[in-house]
Amino acid sequence: TSTEVDPLKIVLLQEMDRYNGLLSLIFSCINDLEDALCGLAAMTPAIELTMTSLLDQKVPQSWLAVYPSLKPLGAWLRDFMSRLNQIENWIAVGTPKVFWLAGLTYPTGFLSALLQLYSRKNGVAIDLLTWENPIIMSDENKIEKSPDDGAYVCGIVLEGARWDQDNGCLVDSFPLELVSPMPLIHFKPTLSKKKVRKRAL
């Protein structure tokens, strides 16, 4: 109905809340460290831990509460800015045509929102739905519109395997190749015949 809130808007608001909280924490940590170094505040164990992490090019542990990461500080900051950029574009431009799934703090919530949208649109119970994942052999910048159902997702990588474009299947990764990028994937909700038959029994 018209009064129902768009599940994707809820996802956006939750992502904004988490990232804003993380930004506030980072600014607070940096300000506290500056004050301590200038002699305006005491050097507490927490501030000293932050300083040690930054000097070692590591992400302070408290900054990892929103989403886990093993990246060193420089790579983490670049990744963090890319995450913020996705959220900012979502706010300014509207729902992305292609989502960077790994750039969300809670990808499971995003996928659940896609299922909710399909459930409402087609009047089917959400627990009867499953996923189809067609591979989209197109550059993400050439995608002109969102799919009718679900979402296009980019940024997924494979370890120990790669996508064979010629044969349309997964094959062994190349020698010494640690990770291999996947093409765009359409996360498409669909009715599960197996679940429907099971409920009918």
Side-chain angles (χ1 to χ4, degrees):
T1 64
S2 57
T3 58
E4 291 180 332
V5 179
D6 184 347
L8 286 180
K9 288 185 179 179
I10 295 177
V11 171
L12 174 58
L13 291 173
Q14 292 173 339
E15 291 292 322
M16 288 169 56
D17 184 61
R18 295 188 191 103
Y19 280 122
N20 282 333
L22 179 53
L23 279 170
S24 296
L25 174 63
I26 293 173
F27 287 136
S28 176
C29 288
I30 297 302
N31 287 334
D32 289 346
L33 178 58
E34 288 181 342
D35 288 345
L37 292 175
C38 292
L40 302 176
M43 179 67 76
T44 65
I47 295 175
E48 188 172 357
L49 189 59
T50 297
M51 181 177 67
T52 301
S53 296
L54 296 178
L55 289 174
D56 291 340
Q57 288 297 302
K58 296 179 179 178
V59 182
Q61 194 62 37
S62 62
W63 299 6
L64 299 175
V66 174
Y67 62 93
S69 176
L70 298 175
K71 298 178 184 293
L73 181 61
W76 184 88
L77 286 172
R78 289 190 293 272
D79 176 82
F80 182 50
M81 294 305 298
S82 296
R83 288 167 175 265
L84 295 181
N85 186 57
Q86 173 170 242
I87 299 301
E88 290 172 352
N89 287 338
W90 193 345
I91 296 169
V93 181
T95 304
K97 300 179 181 67
V98 178
F99 286 88
W100 176 33
L101 190 62
L104 302 176
T105 62
Y106 188 49
T108 302
F110 168 73
L111 296 177
S112 295
L114 295 180
L115 293 177
Q116 290 176 28
L117 284 171
Y118 185 91
S119 174
R120 293 179 185 178
K121 177 182 175 181
N122 295 281
V124 297
I126 196 170
D127 61 345
L128 294 179
L129 299 178
T130 187
W131 293 103
E132 288 183 358
N133 298 106
I135 302 299
I136 309 300
M137 299 307 301
S138 176
D139 187 282
E140 62 179 280
N141 296 319
K142 295 182 179 180
I143 298 295
E144 297 182 352
K145 66 175 185 176
S146 302
D148 293 334
D149 297 309
Y152 297 131
V153 167
C154 69
I156 293 180
V157 297
L158 299 174
E159 292 184 6
R162 63 180 175 85
W163 181 257
D164 186 333
Q165 297 186 14
D166 295 331
N167 297 303
C169 63
L170 293 177
V171 296
D172 290 338
S173 58
F174 291 119
L176 304 180
E177 184 180 55
L178 297 179
V179 295
S180 175
M182 280 291 292
L184 291 183
I185 301 177
H186 183 186
F187 277 73
K188 181 180 180 182
T190 187
L191 194 62
S192 170
K193 295 180 181 179
K194 182 178 180 181
K195 292 181 180 179
V196 171
R197 286 197 301 268
K198 185 175 181 180
R199 172 173 287 193
L201 295 177

